[in-house]
Amino acid sequence: RGCDFLNCDVAIMGGAMSWISERNLVAAISNAGGFGVLAGGAMPTDLLRTEIQETQKLTRKSFGVNLITMHPDLDQLIDVCLDEKVTHIVLAGGMPSAPAIKKIKDGGVKLICFTPTLALGKRLVRMGVDAIVIEGMEAGGHIGPVSTSVLAQEVLPELCEKVPVFVAGGIGRGETMVSYLE
């Protein structure tokens, strides 16, 4: 299900690490069969456009663009993604606004958002988000103090039938990946 949603061979999404997840890493992940995510959150619009275009030159495979909801030019960054025919946008860094979600969805782009709680995950799904990422504190602690294993137990049983749910943070062994898939 994750592979179909991301249009890739393995449902492994590269983390959008600011200033690290740039065109070369994103294309390498996508070319290897995963799903690269360009870290566009700290970029001005002209740099984002260049990075998307340069990534498209390095891969014909699917990749996404991560945008930060509190970026002052979020609306223009979404426009760049739509103009450049990005297929997936990952919104992070806070609760996305209804107009931002509508703009992305109206543009035909698949939308992925992070949730630190079940209640917020349910709200995002009601707002039209296509997939959820649950990320525990082990992945940098960006979105809260709860561990991945606790979030997975809370969120997966409630949302995995509604939307694809991707799990991030503190996963160091294949057995752990298998347990989340089960």
Side-chain angles (χ1 to χ4, degrees):
R1 184 173 176 204
C3 293
D4 290 341
F5 176 77
L6 297 172
N7 191 30
C8 61
D9 298 330
V10 291
I12 296 177
M13 189 181 320
M17 301 167 284
S18 292
W19 307 115
I20 296 171
S21 298
E22 46 75 58
R23 67 181 90 158
N24 294 298
L25 179 59
V26 171
I29 292 168
S30 292
N31 286 335
F35 186 79
V37 180
L38 187 65
M43 293 183 187
T45 55
D46 58 335
L47 180 56
L48 179 63
R49 184 177 307 279
T50 299
E51 281 297 309
I52 292 169
Q53 291 171 349
E54 293 301 315
T55 303
Q56 290 168 336
K57 290 177 186 175
L58 295 171
T59 187
R60 296 278 182 232
K61 305 270 183 149
S62 293
F63 68 91
V65 174
N66 174 260
L67 300 175
I68 304 301
T69 58
M70 61 187 133
H71 194 292
D73 297 325
L74 178 62
D75 201 51
Q76 292 86 354
L77 294 171
I78 292 170
D79 287 338
V80 169
C81 291
L82 298 177
D83 291 347
E84 297 301 327
K85 309 294 186 225
V86 168
T87 59
H88 297 71
I89 292 176
V90 182
L91 289 180
M95 184 69 179
S97 69
I101 291 174
K102 181 176 181 357
K103 184 176 203 170
I104 291 166
K105 300 295 296 164
D106 287 352
V109 175
K110 293 180 182 177
L111 177 58
I112 306 165
C113 287
F114 287 80
T115 186
T117 67
L118 176 59
L120 184 56
K122 286 180 176 179
R123 182 174 174 200
L124 288 166
V125 170
R126 284 193 306 271
M127 292 175 76
V129 169
D130 298 302
I132 295 291
V133 175
I134 54 175
E135 177 182 73
M137 65 180 193
E138 305 93 330
H142 305 311
I143 63 170
V146 180
S147 73
T148 301
S149 62
V150 171
L151 285 174
Q153 292 174 70
E154 179 185 24
V155 174
L156 286 171
E158 297 289 327
L159 293 183
C160 72
E161 296 299 320
K162 296 176 176 61
V163 296
V165 178
F166 297 93
V167 181
I171 303 169
R173 297 173 50 96
E175 293 88 349
T176 306
M177 291 175 75
V178 169
S179 72
Y180 290 135
L181 290 171
E182 289 176 348

